[in-house]
Amino acid sequence: MPATHFEDFLAEAVVPDREPGLGLGRDELYGLYTSWCLLHKAQLQPPEALWEALQDQGINPDSNNLSMTGPAAADYIVASAPDLV
């Protein structure tokens, strides 16, 4: 069975955090997802679709133990950083 759009995102852009209690908030998750879609030229879905897909995978978008990883994480961090010039 081929992976879905959201399964690919989860496999490539997030990992379980080593420290329990930490995790990504909804804004961070959606920002990371947006960066992943831009890098993969994938159709961006609305936040509600991402929350539902996360819940289908047993991930609570409000309380999780996820960290960013990969190229989408780097893109999101650079895009979110304030201008230092």
Side-chain angles (χ1 to χ4, degrees):
M1 174 183 214
T4 69
H5 171 88
F6 293 112
E7 289 170 336
D8 288 343
F9 161 68
L10 291 171
E12 295 174 20
V14 298
V15 293
D17 201 321
R18 294 182 187 158
E19 296 184 38
L22 300 177
L24 300 173
R26 283 183 184 243
D27 287 343
E28 293 166 316
L29 281 166
Y30 197 71
L32 179 63
Y33 169 67
T34 299
S35 289
W36 181 86
C37 286
L38 290 170
L39 291 173
H40 287 81
K41 296 179 177 45
Q43 180 67 42
L44 182 68
Q45 300 299 311
E48 296 77 21
L50 177 59
W51 312 149
E52 184 176 328
L54 290 172
Q55 290 173 342
D56 288 348
Q57 295 293 318
I59 299 169
N60 181 340
D62 295 309
S63 177
N64 58 70
N65 195 37
L66 299 176
S67 289
M68 298 180 192
T69 191
D75 182 74
Y76 172 76
I77 291 166
V78 169
S80 301
D83 289 334
L84 300 176
V85 182

